[in-house]
Amino acid sequence: MRLKKSIFAGTVALFVTAMASVSYGQTQSELCKKMWDNFQGMRAMTGLSAADDAQFAKFTEHAKSISSDSKTSMDSISPDKNYKVLNEEAIYHANEIEKAASNKDLEEIQVQFRRLTIACRNCHKIYKSELKLVP
């Protein structure tokens, strides 16, 4: 009987640990730091007068990562409606950067990057001190 109880308790503990690691895999600070690194990767290229295929691919990669991390943040970190709207704005502009990169439209990338910057700043004005975000 003790063996059955031990096995049951171990199974429950393992399940709870697994769920906790999946549900809370990244904190908001970690997600924002990752988005900041991708943002900086794009920022380094936004002043270009011309871009090649490799640079457009980097814009796409960085934009996809920002969009994905914003979705993760919106879905699992904060249930606040205002936070959701701010994240949707960041996702929209990241997706627009991705579209412009696929069309090799550097001017549109630069416009959408400025708008993404504003979206990020708006969120950080409200939540930076509250969540102690990195950037």
Side-chain angles (χ1 to χ4, degrees):
M1 191 58 132
R2 280 187 185 199
L3 181 61
K4 287 182 181 180
K5 287 182 180 180
S6 296
I7 291 172
F8 180 76
T11 304
V12 169
L14 182 62
F15 178 76
V16 169
T17 304
M19 290 304 292
S21 67
V22 169
S23 299
Y24 302 104
Q26 293 181 313
T27 65
Q28 182 60 51
S29 293
E30 291 168 338
L31 283 168
C32 261
K33 173 68 172 104
K34 192 174 163 195
M35 285 187 272
W36 175 251
D37 292 342
N38 284 299
F39 179 85
Q40 290 292 43
M42 284 194 290
R43 183 177 180 195
M45 296 184 295
T46 55
L48 297 172
S49 60
D52 60 18
D53 289 341
Q55 290 162 328
F56 284 120
K58 286 182 183 179
F59 277 119
T60 300
E61 177 187 332
H62 293 309
K64 280 183 180 180
S65 182
I66 289 172
S67 181
S68 172
D69 291 337
S70 292
K71 286 177 186 172
T72 299
S73 177
M74 183 174 61
D75 294 341
S76 63
I77 304 288
S78 179
D80 184 353
K81 288 180 184 178
N82 191 38
Y83 188 75
K84 182 180 178 189
V85 169
L86 292 166
N87 270 281
E88 286 172 347
E89 186 178 359
I91 291 166
Y92 173 79
H93 294 301
N95 289 339
E96 290 299 308
I97 290 171
E98 187 179 340
K99 287 178 195 172
S102 68
N103 294 331
K104 298 184 182 355
D105 186 353
L106 186 58
E107 186 176 330
E108 182 64 16
I109 290 171
Q110 293 165 340
V111 168
Q112 292 301 326
F113 181 78
R114 285 191 292 276
R115 291 178 179 163
L116 176 64
T117 302
I118 293 167
C120 291
R121 282 186 186 158
N122 288 340
C123 185
H124 284 230
K125 281 180 185 176
I126 297 168
Y127 295 100
K128 188 172 183 175
S129 61
E130 188 176 313
L131 298 175
K132 297 180 178 37
L133 300 177
V134 175

